[in-house]
Amino acid sequence: MIEIKLIENKRLDQVVYENLGTLDNFEEILELNKHLIEKEILDIGDIVYLPEPVQTNEKIVEEKALW
């Protein structure tokens, strides 16, 4: 689990997107941060908990054309 201590006032979704690059698992993040749910803007010093980013071994397959 990643623990982030805020050094500036931000919204939770901003912190999540800046650190994970996605909001896909936002519900999971809300579960980890129940102590912040009532806050519209987070305060300096608030702690945000994020799950470790999931790394996959999926290869991107490019389509190729003969012509």
Side-chain angles (χ1 to χ4, degrees), residues 2-65:
I2 301 169
E3 184 177 302
I4 297 171
K5 185 173 184 178
L6 295 183
I7 57 171
E8 61 182 304
N9 297 42
K10 292 187 177 188
R11 294 186 328 262
L12 181 58
D13 63 320
Q14 288 176 305
V15 176
V16 171
Y17 192 79
E18 288 172 3
N19 288 277
L20 298 179
T22 183
L23 296 174
D24 289 345
N25 56 343
F26 198 69
E27 288 183 31
E28 175 188 357
I29 292 161
L30 288 175
E31 285 293 316
L32 293 172
N33 294 283
K34 290 181 180 181
H35 61 289
L36 302 174
I37 289 177
E38 297 296 320
K39 293 185 172 190
E40 186 173 327
I41 303 294
L42 306 180
D43 299 317
I44 294 171
D46 278 344
I47 304 293
V48 177
Y49 300 104
L50 301 176
E52 293 288 336
V54 176
Q55 297 193 7
T56 62
N57 292 331
E58 293 179 18
K59 294 181 181 178
I60 298 174
V61 177
E62 294 182 31
E63 287 188 32
K64 296 183 180 183

